[in-house]
Amino acid sequence: MTTDRSNSAIRLAVMAGDGIGPEITAATLAVLQAADRAFGLNLAFEDAPIGLAALRAHGSTVPDESFARAQAADGVVMGPVDTASYPEGARNPSAWMRTRLELFANIRPARSRLGLQPRCGKPVDLVIVRENTEGFYADRSMFVGNGEMMPTPDLAIAIRKITREGSTRIAESAFRLAMQRRKHVTAVHKANVLRISDGLFLECTRAVAARYPQVKYEERIMDAMAALLVRDASQFDVIVATNMFGDILSDEAAEISGSLGLAASINAGTDHALAQAQHGSAPDIAGKDLANPSSLIGSAAMLLAWLGERRGDDGLARASAGIERALDEVIAKPEWRTADLGGPLGTKAFGEKVAAALKA
Ligand code: ATP
């Protein structure tokens, strides 16, 4: 479908974040601007500062104005954040955005790129669909208060929250995605120990599975799954998991596929989506032009695909596929890779190569 975008720009809020965030965000914007030109998308970028820079300039790691800008935008591009170095009580931008915009699905693909050997086993092409608002993330899963507490100096408790609604909607996301892929869903759990909470998670996933008879459905225990990914990750298509299991497995899967620096993701809800790399702010390489921006560039491509599907807009879908092709083309050449993949290019130069490789 051709869309007339002359009057209505697609507004993207840009939150650069901490550590390598500003560098990989700048490289991602260069690619999005090239996609805008090549595909006539009419993108408009709005700066929405977060993190330590925002704390210094505006007194908060998520200023209300930045959040309002992100909430009003069509989509958000967010760099990683270094919450470990925030002062006590400072807002955690990831948690703030995920809970307040109800971004309940964290979609984390791990795909081997052309010409790049996986770290182990055969080439992989899987997607981890991670529940994003509850589970073991006790610092953000309560309506009021915190799910982690210390009743005495020698007793610490963390509460893991699993709901029927949360489990059902993440399972729905996984099966809908599987229908567009190889029609295979694996649910990851630890119901042999967490009989009640992961029992509820599995009850919900099975109920959704029954509505998708075309999709092959399997269940794997979390610890076995960690081993199975190393043994042969190529056998998996869509993996659905509660919050922390999904987080851990997706770092493993991304690294198996080639590098954490390749790991894209979006956080999506019913009304909002936020592009965010899977990795953290990598303070060890920040400010050195060493980071691989593929993760955030790929995340931005996922955001365009999400927007395209929502709006029935083929141009956005084609731009998303174009960015993926450009990433493949650049990463395939050893001399165009970044340091994490053994190549000579810096963050900025890599972004420029991807932007230049974009073709409508
Ligand atoms: P967090 O707890 O926020 O996930 P972390 O410090 O535990 O953060 P990362 O920031 O993800 O973990 O970094 C883990 C390792 O991967 C570091 O050595 C880092 O330099 C490397 N790394 C992460 N992202 C990239 C990237 N985009 N390019 C190159 N190396 C990266």
Side-chain angles (χ1 to χ4, degrees), residues 221-238:
I221 291 177
M222 170 61 194
D223 37 349
M225 189 66 186
L228 289 172
L229 281 180
V230 173
R231 191 181 297 168
D232 179 16
S234 73
Q235 62 182 294
F236 298 104
D237 177 19
V238 175

Side-chain angles (χ1 to χ4, degrees), residues 101-115:
L101 297 183
E102 277 233 60
L103 305 173
F104 61 84
N106 188 198
I107 315 286
R108 295 185 148 190
R111 180 166 78 79
S112 305
R113 297 274 174 185
L114 282 176

